[in-house]
């Protein structure tokens, strides 16, 4: 696991979390009292926490866990965008 791999996955999670927060806002499902920016940060923090817990438990490397989380976030964004189309 290289620093570049970690940074790349962190950035993927950050981008996907931002897009996911925007989609939630468009769907009217942003948590009450939370801005899009705060919601994106919350989603990002949760993804990083999940990757750290998975790696800490020895289930997989941090990079592998982060990649799965980023993939899931990106898939959720795509699904939400498709659902919003006429």
């Amino acid at each position: 696991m290289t620093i570049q791999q970690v940074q790349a996955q962190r950035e993927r999670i950050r981008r996907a979390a931002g897009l996911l927060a925007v989609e939630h806002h468009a769907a009217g499902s942003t948590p009450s009292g939370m801005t899009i920016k705060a919601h994106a940060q919350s989603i990002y923090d949760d993804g990083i926490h999940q990757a750290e817990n998975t790696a800490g438990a020895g289930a997989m490397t941090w990079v592998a866990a982060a990649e799965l989380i980023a993939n899931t976030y990106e898939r959720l964004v795509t699904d939400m965008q498709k659902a919003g189309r006429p």
Side-chain angles (χ1 to χ4, degrees):
M1 172 171 60
T2 68
I3 291 173
Q4 291 82 8
Q5 289 172 313
V6 170
Q7 290 173 331
Q9 293 307 323
R10 281 184 178 272
E11 185 54 34
R12 276 188 69 205
I13 291 172
R14 183 170 303 285
R15 279 193 314 270
L19 292 171
L20 195 51
V22 168
E23 290 301 321
H24 273 284
H25 178 74
S29 57
T30 300
S32 181
M34 192 175 268
T35 65
I36 295 172
K37 183 177 180 177
H39 192 205
Q41 185 65 45
S42 173
I43 295 167
Y44 171 79
D45 290 343
D46 186 56
I48 297 300
H49 182 72
Q50 288 180 45
E52 289 171 354
N53 284 346
T54 301
M60 61 183 66
T61 68
W62 189 94
V63 170
E67 183 175 12
L68 289 175
I69 292 162
N71 289 344
T72 300
Y73 285 1
E74 291 164 352
R75 191 170 43 255
L76 287 169
V77 168
T78 300
D79 291 349
M80 289 180 82
Q81 288 171 339
K82 285 180 184 176
R85 292 184 188 148

